[in-house]
Amino acid sequence: QVQLVESGGGLVQPGGSLRLSCAASGGIFRFNSMDWYRQAPGKERELVATITRTGNTNYADSVKGRFTISRDNAKNTVYLQMNSLKPEDTAVYYCDAKGIRLYNKLDWGQGTQVIVSS
């Protein structure tokens, strides 16, 4: 019943933009904070952005000014708008809801892959 499904990744050139989406189901979205993580090849998963139930946001220093997290409670969806993309943004991106994946309640799954390359 509980699901988090990412979409919107792809291959873009440096300086380009992508908008990622995460659709939540199973009654876990409305009252939870939402998070975006990413994992680059050979590196550990890192927290990229968070948004609270009321819309307060936080970002990793590496993406401040370039990425924007938002949520649409009516659609049970969280977004990550990524602008001015750099090769170092290349990673698999995952969403989470109040640590349900971080603490192994829900499998991380495939995420959505972002490749920034010429």
Side-chain angles (χ1 to χ4, degrees), residues 20-34:
L20 307 184
S21 299
C22 173
S25 63
I28 62 172
F29 184 86
R30 184 175 180 180
F31 297 104
N32 286 328
S33 296
M34 300 291 293

Side-chain angles (χ1 to χ4, degrees), residues 14-99:
S17 297
L18 284 173
R19 189 194 194 198
L20 307 184
S21 299
C22 173
S25 63
I28 62 172
F29 184 86
R30 184 175 180 180
F31 297 104
N32 286 328
S33 296
M34 300 291 293
D35 310 289
W36 282 99
Y37 290 81
R38 68 185 181 187
Q39 186 168 27
K43 297 184 178 180
E44 294 186 356
R45 187 177 294 110
E46 65 173 338
L47 180 63
V48 175
T50 65
I51 185 166
T52 69
R53 178 181 59 83
T54 55
N56 292 326
T57 59
N58 284 288
Y59 300 92
D61 288 342
S62 59
V63 306
K64 284 182 179 178
R66 300 188 298 118
F67 290 11
T68 303
I69 188 172
S70 61
R71 65 191 295 160
D72 186 336
N73 291 339
K75 296 181 178 180
N76 294 334
T77 301
V78 63
Y79 305 96
L80 186 67
Q81 178 67 46
M82 306 185 296
N83 299 325
S84 302
L85 283 163
K86 305 175 181 179
E88 50 263 45
D89 295 317
T90 296
V92 177
Y93 285 72
Y94 306 88
C95 65
D96 200 4
K98 202 176 180 180

